[in-house]
Amino acid sequence: MFAEKLTIHFDNIEKKFKVYPYTLRPRGWIGAFISVAIGASFALDQLTLQVIVKLLETFLVLGPLTASALYIINDIYDQELDIKHPYKRSRAITAGEVSIMECLIISGILLVMGLTLGYLINKILIFIILLMVLLQVLYSVPPFRLKDSKVDFIFGGPLNHALRLCAGWSLFRPLTEAPVIFFSGLVSIICIPYIYYKIIHKHLSISKKSLVSVWNEMQIGLLISLLLLCGCGLILISIYVNEVERLALFWPVMIICSFVLNKLLIPHSSNLGIDRYYIVSWLVFSLPAALWYLIKFAIV
C-alpha cells in the first residue's frame, strides 16, 4: 500500500516537471536575445568571443529568467480570457496543470536568479529588471491592468524591448550615451507586430476597451502607417545628428522592404493571415537584425 502511494506520488512529481517548462514560454526568449543583441551592436566596434559570451549571459538573465517569470504573472491574470482561446487554453496554467501557488514560487525563484546574475554581470541590469517587473504589474494586474486600455499594444512588449535595447548598450558603454532617438524609432516599429497580434486575437482574448476593438480598420491602418513613418523618421534623424553611424541607413530601407514583402506575400485573405503577427515580427525585427550583424561585423 505504501509502495503504491509512493509510486503515485513520484508519478505526479514527474508529470509536474514535464509541465513546468511549458509555463516559461521559450518562444518568447528569441525577442529578448535579438533586442539585447541590437542594443549591443551600436555600442561595439568589433565582435569577439568575450562579447558573445557577455551577450549570452545577459540573454539568460533577461530571457529564460526574467521574461519567463513575467510571462507566468501575465498568464495567472489572463486565465479567464485564455480559456476561451483555441490554443492559449492548452497552456499549463490555464489548463490547471500547475497551481497558482506553484506558478508564484517558480516566478519568484526565476526573478531572484535573474536579479542575482544581473548584479554579477552589470549592476544596471538590476534597475532594468525591476522596471520590467513594474511594467508587467501595470500591464497585467488589476486595478492597473493596462492590457484593458487603448494603449495595450505599447505596454504588451515594445517597452520591454526598449529596456532590453538599453541593457544591450549598457554592457559596453555608459547608458547616458545610448542612441535614444534611434532606439525610439525601433520601438515605434516594434509596436506594429503587436497591433497585428491584437487584431488577430481581438474576438478571442482581447479586451473590448483595446484600441483594435474600438477603432475601425481604416483608423488602425492609419496608425500602423504613422508608426512606420515615425519609426523610420526617427532613425533618419538619429543618423543625421550623428547619434549612430551612417551605416544604420540600412535599417529604414530594410524595414520598408520587409513591410512591402509582408503585404505582397501574406495578404489578409490568405490562410497565413492568422500568423501575420509572427511573420511581421521576423520580417521587420529579426531579419534586419541578422543582416545588420552580417553587414557591420562580417562585411564592413
Side-chain angles (χ1 to χ4, degrees), residues 11 23 67 87 196 198 218 257:
D11 283 346
T23 65
Y87 72 79
Y196 277 122
K198 299 289 181 182
M218 186 180 292
C257 288

Side-chain angles (χ1 to χ4, degrees), residues 42 182 186 231-257 288 291-292 295-296 300:
F42 287 94
F182 187 89
L186 284 184
C232 292
L234 286 169
I235 290 171
L236 291 173
I237 290 169
S238 174
I239 296 164
Y240 179 75
V241 299
N242 294 320
E243 188 185 51
V244 294
E245 57 209 291
R246 291 194 179 277
L247 187 62
L249 278 168
F250 158 82
W251 277 90
V253 173
M254 189 64 212
I255 287 165
I256 291 169
C257 288
L291 291 174
W292 168 250
I295 290 169
K296 181 171 181 177
V300 176

Side-chain angles (χ1 to χ4, degrees), residues 188-241:
S188 179
I189 299 295
I190 292 166
C191 284
I192 297 171
Y194 284 90
I195 292 174
Y196 277 122
Y197 175 85
K198 299 289 181 182
I199 292 169
I200 292 164
H201 296 88
K202 73 176 181 178
H203 299 301
L204 299 167
S205 59
I206 303 300
S207 168
K208 291 181 180 178
K209 296 177 185 176
S210 173
L211 196 71
V212 299
S213 299
V214 176
W215 283 15
N216 60 40
E217 191 174 332
M218 186 180 292
Q219 290 172 313
I220 294 169
L222 180 61
L223 174 63
I224 290 171
S225 300
L226 286 172
L227 286 168
L228 179 59
L229 289 171
C230 179
C232 292
L234 286 169
I235 290 171
L236 291 173
I237 290 169
S238 174
I239 296 164
Y240 179 75
V241 299

Side-chain angles (χ1 to χ4, degrees), residues 82-154:
D82 289 349
I83 205 163
K84 303 170 188 174
H85 198 280
Y87 72 79
K88 288 184 180 183
R89 64 187 174 201
S90 62
R91 286 177 178 171
I93 297 172
T94 309
E97 295 174 344
V98 184
S99 71
I100 301 297
M101 184 55 69
E102 287 173 314
C103 292
L104 290 173
I105 291 169
I106 293 169
S107 183
I109 290 170
L110 291 172
L111 275 177
V112 169
M113 289 173 67
L115 287 165
T116 304
L117 287 174
Y119 178 81
L120 295 173
I121 296 166
N122 187 337
K123 292 179 178 63
I124 290 175
L125 290 178
I126 298 287
F127 178 65
I128 288 170
I129 292 168
L130 292 175
L131 275 178
M132 289 175 72
V133 172
L134 175 62
L135 283 174
Q136 190 63 56
V137 170
L138 291 174
Y139 182 67
S140 299
V141 181
F144 316 105
R145 198 157 169 85
L146 293 171
K147 195 170 196 173
D148 294 336
S149 72
K150 290 181 182 178
V151 291
D152 57 341
F153 67 92
I154 299 172

